[in-house]
Structures are given as structure tokens and as C-alpha cells.
Amino acid sequence: MAGRRDRFQQFSERGIVIAILVGIIIGCVCTILLPNDFFNSGSSKVGPGSGESPEQVKMLKSEFAIISEKNAELSKQVRELTEKVLLAEEGTVIKAGPFGTVTGLRTNPTVVPDESVNPRLAKLLEKVAVNKEIIVVLANSNVKPMLEVQIASVKRVGIQNYMVVPLDDSIEGFCKSNEVAYYKRDPDKAVDDVGKSGSGLAVSGLKFRVLREFLQLGYGVLLSDVDIVFLQNPFGHLYRDSDVESMSDGHDNNTAYGFNDVFDDPTMGQSRYVYTARIWVFNSGFFYLRPTLPSIELLDRVTDTLSKSGGWDQAVFNEHLFYPSHPGYTGLHASKRVMDIYEFMNSRFLFKTVRKNQELKKLKPVIVHVNYHRDKLIRMQAAVDFYVNGKQDALDSFSDGTIE
């Protein structure tokens, strides 16, 4: 019975479309053949004996030419609609093209913006966002010195679409006094308690909950931790061809973009070698999300896992991005892109490799993220001295890693 009803519904929908097409065709024909009688049955016909002057006949011929041109355009539209109906009847089957020409869909459609989710945030984003995109930073008083360095870098570069989500009153006051756009969330005890007094790890996990409303409102979000210095405007360096575009914790092309890693088990004899595909994790402190369903599902999954099981938000972030579907688990179908490690540079790459290479030192990254080191503030300041103030030895005194 269900199948019969579906077929009846499909037949009815096709019937309606075909009826509309037939109506358009009849209207076009009548407009051309009976330009006067169709709309004004009481008017006299045009002809040699109708008393029309040569000027009027010429004008009517001109009108007829215009109508004929419009009819040609309508006919084209009718053909296009007919083709769509035929495709619908065939089940929209897509045929594969010649070898080397076939590509799958990579960019999911954006969600329909829903301002009812948060009208106050929607009005604020209309003023601050640029091209429906925004940088979002969560901060409390514990990270205020780093936030000051970051905001100074944002203003220096001239980034307009930058917004802080203050997690306590002190940061809200700081944003007001420094004319920095901010969004103070509605009271939420569970979130506010963590935001005001929680550790950096706990605060980091809040961002997945907070970002959801930005995506629902139809905005692309570039999430940034506070231990990041902006040296160029990042929006000019995004591809926007994936749901998630993230910087990497990798320190070279292999670790950032993927490589074959051979597992060796001598007890297996001739089958001792197993090839595995590896990639170093996406960094959950700097990533761009397009406003798509997979992006929102990612936020929901990470938030749900952290609320139920806890853990490190970056590990959970990567598990949901990369774990495939398997028995008992349905994987996330989100498209992914790794940012250029020479442009979006982590501090391991900077201090272990870049500062020791004279050619790499000439490159100016888009950002420097001091994610690998605990002495974050002084390394952020050193990056500013090196890349902005031209102090060539600003990075030299630091160790490769953090000295305990």
C-alpha cells in the first residue's frame, strides 16, 4: 500500500508540473496568434480594412517582434522544465563521465539560517561579520595577557570580523574598554561555572557547545584559541571547499598531510610488514567550520562525548572526524582539509625547524600558534618581535621544547 501511495503521489506531482507547462505553452501560442483578441475580445482586428494607420501597423509589428522574442525565451524555459521533469521521472540517475573527469561532491550545502535560535546574536553578527564569516575566541581572566597580545595583532593586521566570547566579567570589561566586539552569552550555570574558574582544558571543551548557534545562524566560523598571533588576515588563505578546515599538529609535509607507516611483526614471517596510513591530528585550537549539517553534527558529537565521558577535547575532536563507520558505530560524514603548515604554523614547527633554516625564516606565516609550549606568552611576544618588529634574533634564545 505504501508503495502504491508513493507512486500515486509521484504521478500527481508530475501531473501538476506537466499541467503548468501545458498552460504556459497555450498562453504563449495565444499571445502570438491573437495579441489583441486574447486580452481584449471587443477590440477590432488589425488589417488593411480596419482603419489602422501605417504608423500603428508599424508599431504593432514591432510589438509582435518583441512578443516573439519573449516567446522564444519562454520556450527555452519550458524545455528546461521538461528536462527536469524527465530527470525526476528517471529518478535523477547520474551517469559517470569519461575516465579522469569524474569527481564526487566535496562541498555540502549550507544550512538555512535560523535567526529564531538567537535573535540577539544574529543582530550582533550582522554588524561584525564580513561575508558571513567571523573569528570567535573564548577567554576568561586566566588568559588575559595572551588575549591582549592577540587583540593587538588582530588590530595591527586590520581584521574586522573578530569577536570575543567573554567567560567572566573581567574579560567583558576588557573588551568594552578596548573597543573589541564581544558576545556575552545568556546565563548558563553549567557552562558559566567552567568558564569562570575551570582549567584551560575544561574551557577549551566549551567552544564546541558555544559555536553551534553561530553555525545555525548561517555563519562560517574560524575558531581561535588565545595563544595565537595573527600576522595576516586568515580569510584570504582559506579554501572553503570542506566542512572542516583545520591547522595541523604536524611538523612537516608527511606528518601534516599523511604518510604510509609500516608496522613490523617478525612473528608473522613473510607477512611481518603491514602498511598503515597515518596523519598527525587536526588542532582543535584553530579550525574553520562552514555552516553545514556535518559541521553542526561534529559539534554535537564532541559536546556529547565530553559531557558524558570527559577527556581531551582535541582527541575527541579527531576521533569523530576520522574514525570510520564500523559495527556499533556510524562515522561522521564530514569533508576535511588540512591547512598549509607554512602559513598556519604551530610552535613545534617554528622552533624546531623554521627558525634554524635561513630560507624558511624568510616566509611570513598567516598565524603562529604556540600550542606545543607552556611558556606561551613570551613565545607569542617573541614571534611578534621576529615577524613584525624585524628583530632577527628574537627566537634564538628559546629551547626547542618547554623546559620543565
Side-chain angles (χ1 to χ4, degrees), residues 157-176:
V157 174
I159 300 171
Q160 301 296 319
N161 47 339
Y162 174 91
M163 178 180 290
V164 175
V165 178
L167 301 176
D168 56 35
D169 295 337
S170 174
I171 296 299
E172 180 182 5
F174 172 77
C175 290
K176 284 182 180 179

Side-chain angles (χ1 to χ4, degrees), residues 115-174:
E115 293 190 1
S116 66
V117 170
N118 192 329
R120 183 167 64 88
L121 178 58
K123 290 181 180 179
L124 183 58
L125 288 173
E126 286 180 2
K127 299 177 182 178
V128 180
V130 175
N131 297 325
K132 299 286 285 187
E133 293 178 322
I134 188 82
I135 296 175
V136 177
V137 181
L138 277 67
N140 63 16
S141 299
N142 296 332
V143 296
K144 184 178 177 181
M146 288 188 288
L147 182 64
E148 290 176 340
V149 175
Q150 182 177 97
I151 289 175
S153 73
V154 166
K155 291 184 176 181
R156 188 184 304 113
V157 174
I159 300 171
Q160 301 296 319
N161 47 339
Y162 174 91
M163 178 180 290
V164 175
V165 178
L167 301 176
D168 56 35
D169 295 337
S170 174
I171 296 299
E172 180 182 5
F174 172 77

Side-chain angles (χ1 to χ4, degrees), residues 249-268:
D249 271 5
H251 62 277
D252 57 24
N253 288 347
N254 283 340
T255 55
Y257 310 139
F259 64 102
N260 285 324
D261 185 35
V262 181
F263 176 78
D264 182 12
D265 182 2
T267 64
M268 289 296 293

Side-chain angles (χ1 to χ4, degrees), residues 233-257:
N233 191 325
F235 290 106
H237 300 263
L238 298 177
Y239 284 80
R240 301 174 179 83
D241 62 349
S242 303
D243 299 305
V244 182
E245 196 166 343
S246 176
M247 73 172 295
S248 171
D249 271 5
H251 62 277
D252 57 24
N253 288 347
N254 283 340
T255 55
Y257 310 139

Side-chain angles (χ1 to χ4, degrees), residues 18 34 67 86-87 127 235 243 245 266 294 304 338 344 374 394:
I18 293 172
L34 304 170
I67 292 172
L86 292 175
L87 282 174
K127 299 177 182 178
F235 290 106
D243 299 305
E245 196 166 343
D304 183 64
V338 183
F344 299 90
R374 293 187 178 180

Side-chain angles (χ1 to χ4, degrees), residues 207-239:
K207 58 197 172 195
F208 300 97
R209 183 193 300 267
V210 173
L211 293 182
R212 193 185 204 277
E213 291 181 347
F214 288 81
L215 297 186
Q216 284 183 279
L217 293 171
Y219 288 83
V221 176
L222 183 57
L223 183 281
S224 174
D225 279 354
V226 294
D227 56 345
I228 289 174
V229 174
F230 288 85
L231 301 169
Q232 300 183 58
N233 191 325
F235 290 106
H237 300 263
L238 298 177
Y239 284 80

